[in-house]
Amino acid sequence: MKVTYNRAPHIPDALSMSPGPDCDETSPFAAVGASDLVFAATGRDDDRDLRTLQFTVWKQGSSTKIYDQALNVDAGGRASFSLARSNFTDGQTYQWAVRSIDSTGAASEYAPPGSGTCTFDPSDSTGYRLNVSPRDTSDAPGDTNGDTQPDLWGITPEGNRDMYSGAEGDLHMNIPGAHRRGINLTADGDKDGKADYPGHGMGSDGKPALITHQGDFAPGDGIQDLLARMPDGKLYVYRGDGYGSVDIEWRTELWLPSNAQVPSTFTQIFATGDLDNDRRPELLVTAGTDLWAFTGYTGSTFTTATKPASGWDALDVVNVGAKDLLFRNPGDGKMWLRKGKSNGKGGTDVAAFASGGGLPGRRRRLVRRQLDGVEHPDGHGHIRHQR
C-alpha cells in the first residue's frame, strides 16, 4: 500500500505594498499617492513544494477583480508584481489579499488571516510630497540632495543619522539625515526635556546600524535611497526624500534568496549601483569571512545571491568601479584591487571577484577624486585620534 501525504502551504506573510502602508487592516485606512504600486508577499510550505502566490486586488464592494494572478515564487518563496496607478480611482477604497499554492494545487487561506483585509485609499491630493524640482534624469550616483555631488550618510556616536553634503569634494557640512514625518528625531515635541527619537541608528548593545546608499531602490522615483541593516537584525530600504534625508516611517524590509546569509550576520553592506548592467541596483555584503553579491533586484527583493569569495580575512569593501573591486584587509592594513571581468552584457560578472588576482592599491589615485566629479574611484576614511 502506498500512501501520499501532502500538507497545505502556510498562509503568506511579510505582505508589503510600496509605496504605501503595506497591509493596513485598521480604519481610517492610509492613503497612497499618484504612483504605481508594487505588491509582494512570502510563502512557505513544509513539504518544500510551494509553487505560486495568488494575488487578488479589487475595489471594495465589487466582485470584479482588478488583478487575480498566481505568480511563481523565487527560491525564498517571495513573489511580487506592479500595478499602474491608472487602475485606481482617486478617493475610492481598494483591498488586496494573497494565498499560497503548492505543486499539487493545495492552497492556504488568504492572508491576512482572520476577518481583516489589506485596504488602502488612492488619493491624488494626499500623495507623497514632491521634495525636489522635477527632472528628466535620476540623481547622480551617491547624490542624495539633487546637487549632482555624491554625499555621505553616517551614524553619529549618539546613534543619530547625519548627511554630509559632498559639495565640490568636501564633506565639512552636515544636516540631520533622518526625520519622522518631517520632524527631526532629536526634537523634543512633548517638551519633556528629552529627544523624542534619540539614537534611532544605535542598538541597545551600543552597536550602530550598517548603512549604505547608491541606487534608487523604492519606488522608482529617481532619488537615491538608504539601505540599512538595523539593530533588530533586519535589512531595510528607507526612501530618500530628495533633500538628503529619510523618513524613518517610509521603510520597507528587503528580502533575500533562501541561500543567503541572514542580515543579522552581516558585518558590512555596500550598495554598488548597477554593477552588472541590468538597470537595477546591486548590493555587496560581507558576512564573517565571506563576500556576497545580491543581484536581480525587484519589488523590495533580491532574487539572486552569489558568494564570489569565502575564506577571506576580514575585509572593508571600499569602492566598486565599473569593473573592479577595491578593498582593505585590516589584518595587514593594505589596500587591494581585485580586477573584475565583463559579463558580456556591458557590466561586471560579480562571480569574477572570486579570482582575478589582487594588486596592492598603492597608487593614491585609486582612492580619490570622484568626490569632486572626476571619474576615478575613491573612498572615505576614518582616522582615530590617539594621544
Side-chain angles (χ1 to χ4, degrees), residues 251-329:
R251 77 176 187 181
T252 302
E253 185 176 357
L254 292 181
W255 297 92
L256 306 176
S258 59
N259 67 314
Q261 295 287 326
V262 296
S264 60
T265 66
F266 295 169
T267 52
Q268 187 182 12
I269 61 176
F270 191 89
T272 67
D274 182 10
L275 184 62
D276 58 6
N277 200 34
D278 64 352
R279 305 182 68 179
R280 302 174 183 179
E282 278 80 56
L283 177 69
L284 294 181
V285 309
T286 55
T289 60
D290 296 332
L291 175 68
W292 287 85
F294 299 121
T295 58
Y297 182 81
T298 180
S300 303
T301 302
F302 286 101
T303 59
T304 303
T306 304
K307 185 167 66 174
S310 60
W312 284 14
D313 292 333
L315 302 177
D316 285 340
V317 177
V318 178
N319 211 324
V320 176
K323 295 180 182 297
D324 307 322
L325 173 66
L326 183 65
F327 60 92
R328 182 178 73 94
N329 185 345

Side-chain angles (χ1 to χ4, degrees), residues 185-263:
L185 300 184
T186 58
D188 182 13
D190 55 7
K191 307 301 181 182
D192 65 350
K194 301 178 181 179
D196 293 336
Y197 294 92
H200 178 72
M202 189 77 71
S204 58
D205 58 358
K207 294 181 179 180
L210 304 178
I211 60 175
T212 184
H213 78 281
Q214 181 157 317
D216 176 16
F217 289 86
D221 55 6
I223 297 175
Q224 298 279 303
D225 302 312
L226 177 72
L227 299 188
R229 200 290 307 281
M230 295 298 289
D232 64 3
K234 297 180 180 180
L235 185 63
Y236 298 95
V237 55
Y238 288 83
R239 181 187 174 190
D241 65 7
Y243 283 133
S245 187
V246 298
D247 188 327
I248 63 172
E249 293 194 349
W250 285 3
R251 77 176 187 181
T252 302
E253 185 176 357
L254 292 181
W255 297 92
L256 306 176
S258 59
N259 67 314
Q261 295 287 326
V262 296

Side-chain angles (χ1 to χ4, degrees), residues 42 69 81 93 117 131 135 144 165 175 177 213 226 231-232 258 267 284 288 298 303 305 321 327 333 377 382-383:
T42 299
Q69 297 288 334
F81 70 99
T93 300
T117 305
N131 295 316
R135 297 192 303 274
T144 68
S165 177
I175 63 171
H213 78 281
L226 177 72
D232 64 3
S258 59
T267 52
L284 294 181
T298 180
T303 59
F327 60 92
H382 175 266
I383 299 175

Side-chain angles (χ1 to χ4, degrees), residues 16-24 29-39 83-85 88-94 96 119-129 239 250:
S16 69
M17 183 178 71
S18 178
D22 290 336
C23 181
D24 190 354
F29 302 109
V32 296
S35 176
D36 295 349
L37 298 176
V38 177
F39 300 82
L83 276 182
R85 177 62 173 80
F88 307 105
T89 302
D90 180 32
Q92 301 297 311
T93 300
Y94 294 85
W96 67 285
T119 306
F120 61 96
D121 300 317
S123 173
D124 293 336
S125 60
T126 310
Y128 289 104
R129 294 171 294 177
R239 181 187 174 190
W250 285 3

